[in-house]
Amino acid sequence: MKMWGSRMSKPTDPLVERLNASASFDIRLADEDVVGSVAWAHALGRAGVLGSEDLNAILRGLSAIREEFADGRFKLAPTDEDVHTAVERRLTELIGPAAGKLHTGRSRNDQVATDFRLWIQHACSKLTAHVVDLLEAILTSAEAHLHAPMPGYTHLRQAQPVTWGHWMLSHSWAFGRDVERLAQASASASCLPLGSGALAGTSVPVDRASLAGELGFHAVSDNSLDAVSDRDFVASFLFACALLGVHISRLSEALILFSSVEFGFVELDEAFTTGSSLMPHKVNPDPLELARGKAGRLIGNLTTLLTVLKGLPSAYDKDLQEDKEPAFDSVDTLTSVLPVLSGLVRSLRTDPAKMAAAISPEAFAVDAADYLVERGVPFREAHASVGKAMRLAGEKAMPPDRLTLEDWQSVDPRFDADILHVFDLATALERRNTKGGTSHRALEEQLAAARARLAELKVAKAG
Amino acid sequence: MKMWGSRMSKPTDPLVERLNASASFDIRLADEDVVGSVAWAHALGRAGVLGSEDLNAILRGLSAIREEFADGRFKLAPTDEDVHTAVERRLTELIGPAAGKLHTGRSRNDQVATDFRLWIQHACSKLTAHVVDLLEAILTSAEAHLHAPMPGYTHLRQAQPVTWGHWMLSHSWAFGRDVERLAQASASASCLPLGSGALAGTSVPVDRASLAGELGFHAVSDNSLDAVSDRDFVASFLFACALLGVHISRLSEALILFSSVEFGFVELDEAFTTGSSLMPHKVNPDPLELARGKAGRLIGNLTTLLTVLKGLPSAYDKDLQEDKEPAFDSVDTLTSVLPVLSGLVRSLRTDPAKMAAAISPEAFAVDAADYLVERGVPFREAHASVGKAMRLAGEKAMPPDRLTLEDWQSVDPRFDADILHVFDLATALERRNTKGGTSHRALEEQLAAARARLAELKVAKAG
Amino acid sequence: MKMWGSRMSKPTDPLVERLNASASFDIRLADEDVVGSVAWAHALGRAGVLGSEDLNAILRGLSAIREEFADGRFKLAPTDEDVHTAVERRLTELIGPAAGKLHTGRSRNDQVATDFRLWIQHACSKLTAHVVDLLEAILTSAEAHLHAPMPGYTHLRQAQPVTWGHWMLSHSWAFGRDVERLAQASASASCLPLGSGALAGTSVPVDRASLAGELGFHAVSDNSLDAVSDRDFVASFLFACALLGVHISRLSEALILFSSVEFGFVELDEAFTTGSSLMPHKVNPDPLELARGKAGRLIGNLTTLLTVLKGLPSAYDKDLQEDKEPAFDSVDTLTSVLPVLSGLVRSLRTDPAKMAAAISPEAFAVDAADYLVERGVPFREAHASVGKAMRLAGEKAMPPDRLTLEDWQSVDPRFDADILHVFDLATALERRNTKGGTSHRALEEQLAAARARLAELKVAKAG
Amino acid sequence: MKMWGSRMSKPTDPLVERLNASASFDIRLADEDVVGSVAWAHALGRAGVLGSEDLNAILRGLSAIREEFADGRFKLAPTDEDVHTAVERRLTELIGPAAGKLHTGRSRNDQVATDFRLWIQHACSKLTAHVVDLLEAILTSAEAHLHAPMPGYTHLRQAQPVTWGHWMLSHSWAFGRDVERLAQASASASCLPLGSGALAGTSVPVDRASLAGELGFHAVSDNSLDAVSDRDFVASFLFACALLGVHISRLSEALILFSSVEFGFVELDEAFTTGSSLMPHKVNPDPLELARGKAGRLIGNLTTLLTVLKGLPSAYDKDLQEDKEPAFDSVDTLTSVLPVLSGLVRSLRTDPAKMAAAISPEAFAVDAADYLVERGVPFREAHASVGKAMRLAGEKAMPPDRLTLEDWQSVDPRFDADILHVFDLATALERRNTKGGTSHRALEEQLAAARARLAELKVAKAG
């Protein structure tokens, strides 16, 4: 069945039908399409366009179709151009010509926008739940070794000591922002286009505010042309997915490094590794590599949509059909990656001893500079003196904590015997005691804040 | 001057210095850098790290530097690696070694993040003002011809009649969403990283909440590692710019078409056109074409940043220096395009007579179907009958409003003599009377809503 | 069956298996995988590693598997990790443990690179055939109306008269370059990685040159590390697809415009249009809009791969598995779009009368300037004088061919009575007689050159 | 000076002038513009359109302008819209009204395409020289430690032993392919558009073949519409740059890892590192990080251009002006990165002892499997047995070369006493003796091939 055709004097070319058909993928909107149609039927009823007999038949039919979808019994017909056609075709089979009244005052243009906005809102909820689960895994890991010292890196070079908890928590804030972005994308999707017709509004006096309420939308579109052509909500969603993917790639990269034999800070559970077809010894971090690589795909999906949208002139152009597959793919990608990452983090074994042992004495250089600063030396001079001491240690091929007092004083006479105390790990960590720092207090406050934030997110998700 | 170097036993390669140097572009952060340094100096003073004499000297020096920047008197030295180095170098020249105390407990990592977050917030304000101005131009044009009929298009084919006001307003809602996205980007930038040191926090007991208040940040970063490596705010900003660029490209494309001799709906003021070096008659819509093309650039800038961020492992990697130029370029691009577009819209001459005359009688086909629906015919049947009538008109090579009653009844006997009344333009527009539609009431309500929204945006901007 | 696992002390997490599994999509490499395995079996035989009995069993089994794939009888097992595993698993079912000898000296790393390089070469051939078919359609259309005048546009404003043939041929050269790029991508894929093992070469003394010959590769990889990690050939392919997509989008955009009622130069055959679910009169150019939109997708696929590759450190990382789906999608996209476009071009009805009538007298402005140049006026002055004449015509609201001699002389006394002859269409077209121009001779030479080029491409394709 | 304007009844809006003006960046085409104009002047002379006096004046003026550009004496006037206008304006200043004859039969559309094609060809040469220099550095490093064993990685896990030379050479082949792509981009640019006018050809009977020869183009464009709108050569160039950037990012990532204290295989010369403003000990690989990050920018530039081109309808649209800045930026980026990378590679200190010591005994697992294969065990079984042995070693927390014969036989009785010999490094490397492998012979042949290839490239560059 086609929703059009009597206008044409000849059949559509079969290759065009294939190119044009979207049912193979937009069938994923089936539930949203039926739900939207139920609401539309009610609205037509309230507007006096559908009599109660027709209304009841349509509702009965739609209910049956929804079950068929839920059970996997629904069968696409070869002629079903898209999900909307499929539903109307099936409704006609079930209830006869009355089905033909459902599309009164409605167009596929406002219908698909409504379906897709519902779907994106559901997708945001689903992805949020996955990110929340990952956050729980991260916070659990952070808490387990909140104060376990490890080398902190900048430029992949040891910088200053931090702790495992500190490092793990750093990722939690990034993923927390992703939850916010998903909420923003969901909010931008929550505006009802239904009742906009093909582009110019509908002549049926439906109550759009009630429709919105029934379907859970928080707003009603203000302009029918904009309503059928606006895909900002998809772009916002794909952007949220892309940046989430970037965060996943950064955590993954770090875990690949930290679980290598060269770093050795953590060990991946074997359930989260794979092997080699040729090399019998291999225990590879494939899930982390895939997680890292998927960022490329998520960025590509965003590029796709933005490029599709660029330069489109009028209310609805068929190019807009290209909005769905990138969104479906981004959801599928994240839905497969996020639970794996959560499981991997949960089963990660950290090696606090190795992490602590790996900290280079050079990583206390700031503390050595602070030593002079506390003795009144301007920081820039202190920095220079410690730099020279570090160079001296390098020339002597010894770690800086092995320099003698004479060595220290040879570069700056203001160093005193207690300079050697700056290499104390616990002290160094405690000294950074402002918000976001590495002291016990700062870390415990941070963990508490992260837990509180997570609790909020879970409430919001439930709400 | 370098902020480092004593550690090294040899000078940096000159080509490395050139690659590494960012002063040529990050000098744009100069004002933010000085403002941030003033706040940091106060914080050091309150923390007891800077005595009042040093503090006053530093504040005096910074104030002088700020003026030098404002006046364009500030001169970069060849050795200034970046804006931070330039400011500290100049401060040293002005006040001597006390300048070396300013960087105590601070790193360029938290400093540049602070500067850039301030800058992005300013950029959001600036772009918002430009979008608001464009919105004013759009609303003025919409109001001027609010009810002037014009063909509405889908698939660049005449679909149903709309009005100039309706069409213009459709763009206003898109740009309104851009303002929201800029506000979100600005909010995401409004979190203070200062006090995070290089990656691990600062040992100076600064009061970060006061610092945030002084600099106008709404939040304080929770984790020092995240604070120096988070570039989500830049990505959000570049995304907002890219989607704004897409909206600009869509409006531009439509105006290029509508101002062509083939459409003829509007005429561009000559001040917003250019000519040809070869063809003396040309009056080209170059600004609109550039505006359309710039979307590519804005999308490319977003791709750049997301790709740079992908897979970065540690707290701060130098790759992050690649965050600034795309942001600067996106701001410059939009700052040059938006005012031109506003001026162009303001000076646009619409031709209501041509627009009305261009409306094809085919564009009343939905009204013809509604005619049958109102007589109890299921919409799907009504659609088929009207489709046949349209085909018949095509075969007869006449517009459908020239079909006779016999013609209509030959395709469906349920058509009656009054079918010919459906081609009345005013009636057709009035019939679509729900929110977002084309009736007088709906359009006036929409315009009022758009004006109210604009007023809100202007208050928010001022606030 | 897994190709690994004995190393592990616990089973892989089911979610990891799902994330990791590529069989659902890389099954498309089945034929290439079997063909590659046949060649490898021969190579092992020649190297003395496989006895003739085992070799024959393996070849028999692979032949059976190839048939199963061809017939659609091959069934993936839930445990088949990828196509390589599936083939080895099935081979084991068919011939027993001897199947376990096939993977000697080979890794999935060099195997998949081999398979994929074969597949890309096939894909290039296939796409080339589709482009060649489109070129035939274009040349046929160009020839049919080679000298039919139409307005030529720059900036979507009438510029100078051209002809339909000229315009159509302009697209043929772009698509001709696409064929060259596909050939370059294919050539870059034609380098054999097999024999590189996992990363470090193979200890089996296979003759790689013979292997290459047997599989039709033109070169043998020089370095085993590079062989397993190089994906340049995929990037080159995706780039060729993206630019082909851009060309398709440009032709599509133009045909959407030219087939609109506002331009009216061509009419799309109804078989290449679709209708509206709401608006019974609509005849929409959906295939052209989809063709235009798909450029976004093809560009996104290229972005995906380049971003995946960025920053990958070692020989083979699992991120590389993300190379296939973009390539499959780009091929599927173009395979569905190109034949539709060819059919659409073949069935296009041009309207020479309308095209000729649409040419504005302003489009002869260059000829008017040339008129003065031929009388010794420097071009820049001539341009200025004609510009003034055009302005005068505008002020008088008349086309410039209606200006009187007095009018012309009022802007420049060097105009004489014969100035009015410059508005002759045939003369104007004939005047541009250099290569690539619009004269009869130039167009016929161009068509002949395009035909010759197409013949070359067809020979190359066949060869 | 403007090249147009008499047509207009009012001046261009100043903001439009600023948006429209490209002189600030396309001034980089100055030399190409003058060279192209010289050739055009000669062509006009040969065509009899320019008398010898005018011709000589023009040539004299252009020669002076070229010198002004070369000396840096050329000053842009505020009214210079673009480089073409600037040159014509200056020519007018120098030689008077005769300058106005130069643009006869030419348009900025064919002129800028000619200039840019020349510029891209020059850029390809320049970048090729930089890549060739990098290749020399790589080959020198490879040769210096051709047979020095190091761990080979897949999935960033030790896989099998390779050598430094092998690893370094792997990058040489990737960069060698970049040179080919640059050559292809240059070839695609080498097609003369001049003589195509604005879109429709030129009425001046210039000999385009001679023009091409004079300017060094290998072909003449076949179609004037295509000639002014084709930007494939820019896209090909940006693609070549992007993939070159990806290769740079991969080498950089590896060197960042290998030069970390955790890997310790190489040491960066201090001249190729930078320090920290806060942490006195830091020696950071900033140039490598910037080199890695720049890939994002180069990919973004490609995305920009492809997106700009998408959907452009007509011969020349002003959007095409957006082609230049991405190309300029990509060239500047690579021109600053490549020499630094070459210098860094040249000054790299490898630590053969550390690399050899780092090789894990697990990396001989394939050799252990080969051991069984050589004794007639099917590879798949051999793989399983060795996998079990590796697991056993893991459980015993000992490296596999410490397993006893009893241990080996407990997993597979077919292991014999000589199994312990498989851990011999030299033997393992020598066993992989096919083309591209790690044996002495294979490596020496590979180095010779790489040297031969480099010599070819240098000849080609010189030629």
Side-chain angles (χ1 to χ4, degrees), chain B residues 167-244:
Chain B
W167 182 81
M168 256 295 172
L169 284 170
S170 75
H171 291 277
S172 81
W173 299 106
F175 290 117
R177 289 189 296 273
D178 292 317
V179 172
E180 281 175 50
R181 266 182 297 273
L182 287 169
Q184 289 171 348
S186 187
S188 81
S190 185
C191 178
L192 180 83
L194 201 60
S196 300
L199 76 157
T202 183
S203 57
V204 178
V206 291
D207 177 350
R208 298 187 63 213
S210 302
L211 254 180
E214 197 167 339
L215 289 168
F217 284 94
H218 293 112
V220 173
S221 67
D222 289 280
N223 179 297
S224 59
L225 288 162
D226 180 50
V228 297
S229 77
D230 171 24
R231 290 299 183 271
D232 289 8
F233 67 101
V234 193
S236 289
F237 176 69
L238 291 177
F239 170 67
C241 291
L243 200 41
L244 172 50

Side-chain angles (χ1 to χ4, degrees), chain C residues 159 187 262 430:
Chain C
E262 286 77 11
E430 279 310 305

Side-chain angles (χ1 to χ4, degrees), chain C residues 187-451:
Chain C
S188 81
S190 185
C191 178
L192 180 83
L194 201 58
S196 299
L199 77 156
T202 183
S203 58
V204 178
V206 290
D207 178 351
R208 298 186 64 212
S210 301
L211 254 181
E214 198 167 337
L215 289 168
F217 284 95
H218 293 112
V220 173
S221 67
D222 289 280
N223 179 298
S224 58
L225 288 162
D226 179 49
V228 297
S229 77
D230 169 25
R231 290 299 183 273
D232 289 7
F233 65 102
V234 193
S236 290
F237 177 69
L238 291 177
F239 170 66
C241 290
L243 201 41
L244 171 50
V246 166
H247 293 152
I248 290 172
S249 79
R250 298 184 73 172
L251 175 58
S252 298
E253 169 81 1
L255 289 177
I256 291 169
L257 294 177
F258 288 174
S259 64
S260 70
V261 64
E262 286 77 11
F263 282 80
F265 299 169
V266 294
E267 194 185 353
L268 303 184
D269 190 273
E270 280 184 2
F272 291 86
T273 64
T274 65
S276 157
S277 70
L278 175 63
M279 298 176 288
H281 69 292
K282 283 311 253 357
V283 182
N284 290 328
D286 289 43
L288 291 171
E289 295 169 282
L290 286 169
R292 178 178 61 189
K294 300 283 186 188
R297 183 173 189 142
L298 296 165
I299 294 170
N301 285 339
L302 173 61
T303 304
T304 291
L305 184 76
L306 291 172
T307 306
V308 166
L309 294 178
K310 179 226 145 191
L312 289 192
S314 53
Y316 182 86
D317 300 292
K318 187 71 167 200
D319 317 52
L320 293 180
Q321 183 164 302
E322 292 292 307
D323 61 348
K324 268 163 233 81
E325 285 165 288
F328 293 162
D329 187 70
S330 288
V331 169
D332 292 345
T333 297
L334 288 166
T335 304
S336 69
V337 165
L338 284 166
V340 168
L341 199 56
S342 300
L344 187 147
V345 168
R346 280 206 173 83
S347 60
L348 207 58
R349 273 180 299 281
T350 59
D351 191 330
K354 264 202 184 159
M355 293 194 298
I359 297 170
S360 156
E362 292 212 338
F364 297 84
V366 176
D367 303 285
D370 284 349
Y371 172 97
L372 288 181
V373 167
E374 283 156 19
R375 277 146 192 80
V377 180
F379 175 75
R380 191 55 60 218
E381 284 178 42
H383 183 286
S385 294
V386 176
K388 282 179 207 149
M390 294 291 150
R391 185 163 84 193
L392 181 62
E395 286 160 7
K396 296 196 162 196
M398 56 170 55
D401 59 345
R402 301 275 305 284
L403 290 178
T404 63
L405 179 57
E406 289 66 44
D407 291 332
W408 286 100
Q409 292 184 335
S410 74
V411 299
D412 193 323
R414 290 170 290 191
F415 285 115
D416 221 328
D418 51 356
I419 178 61
L420 299 175
H421 298 168
V422 301
F423 295 96
D424 183 65
L425 182 53
T427 309
L429 290 168
E430 279 310 305
R431 284 165 51 81
R432 292 179 252 111
N433 186 36
T434 51
K435 187 178 180 186
T438 56
S439 71
H440 270 64
R441 194 188 56 76
L443 283 169
E444 267 142 33
E445 282 179 15
Q446 188 189 153
L447 180 64
R451 286 238 171 267

Side-chain angles (χ1 to χ4, degrees), chain A residues 297, chain C residues 21-29 321-322 324-325 328:
Chain A
R297 183 173 188 142
Chain C
S22 55
S24 65
F25 57 85
D26 67 17
I27 195 72
R28 290 180 67 159
L29 303 177
Q321 183 164 302
E322 292 292 307
K324 268 163 233 81
E325 285 165 288
F328 293 162

Side-chain angles (χ1 to χ4, degrees), chain B residues 137-186:
Chain B
I138 287 175
L139 295 198
T140 301
S141 171
E143 186 163 20
H145 303 281
L146 187 61
H147 304 295
M150 70 180 275
Y153 292 83
T154 57
H155 307 264
L156 208 70
R157 296 294 177 264
Q158 291 207 11
Q160 293 186 275
V162 297
T163 75
W164 176 260
H166 191 54
W167 182 81
M168 256 295 172
L169 284 170
S170 75
H171 291 277
S172 81
W173 299 106
F175 290 117
R177 289 189 296 273
D178 292 317
V179 172
E180 281 175 50
R181 266 182 297 273
L182 287 169
Q184 289 171 348
S186 187

Side-chain angles (χ1 to χ4, degrees), chain C residues 110-184:
Chain C
D110 56 346
Q111 189 179 356
V112 71
T114 304
D115 293 2
F116 201 26
R117 283 172 177 270
L118 287 170
W119 192 91
I120 290 280
Q121 291 176 71
H122 298 158
C124 288
S125 293
K126 198 167 133 183
L127 293 184
T128 296
H130 284 306
V131 179
V132 161
D133 188 52
L134 175 59
L135 282 168
E136 286 186 341
I138 287 174
L139 295 198
T140 302
S141 171
E143 186 163 20
H145 303 281
L146 188 61
H147 303 295
M150 70 180 274
Y153 292 83
T154 59
H155 308 263
L156 208 70
R157 295 293 178 266
Q158 292 207 10
Q160 293 186 277
V162 297
T163 75
W164 177 260
H166 191 54
W167 182 82
M168 257 295 172
L169 283 170
S170 75
H171 291 276
S172 81
W173 300 105
F175 290 117
R177 288 189 296 272
D178 291 316
V179 171
E180 280 174 50
R181 266 182 296 273
L182 287 169
Q184 288 171 348

Side-chain angles (χ1 to χ4, degrees), chain A residues 312-396:
Chain A
L312 289 193
S314 54
Y316 182 86
D317 300 293
K318 187 71 167 201
D319 317 52
L320 293 180
Q321 183 165 301
E322 292 292 308
D323 62 348
K324 268 163 233 82
E325 286 166 288
F328 293 163
D329 186 71
S330 288
V331 169
D332 292 345
T333 297
L334 287 166
T335 304
S336 69
V337 164
L338 283 165
V340 167
L341 198 56
S342 300
L344 187 147
V345 168
R346 280 205 173 84
S347 60
L348 207 58
R349 273 179 300 280
T350 59
D351 191 330
K354 264 201 183 159
M355 293 194 297
I359 298 169
S360 157
E362 291 211 339
F364 297 85
V366 175
D367 303 284
D370 284 349
Y371 172 97
L372 288 181
V373 166
E374 282 156 21
R375 275 146 194 80
V377 180
F379 175 74
R380 192 56 60 217
E381 284 178 41
H383 183 286
S385 294
V386 176
K388 282 179 206 148
M390 294 291 150
R391 184 163 85 193
L392 181 62
E395 286 160 7
K396 294 195 164 198

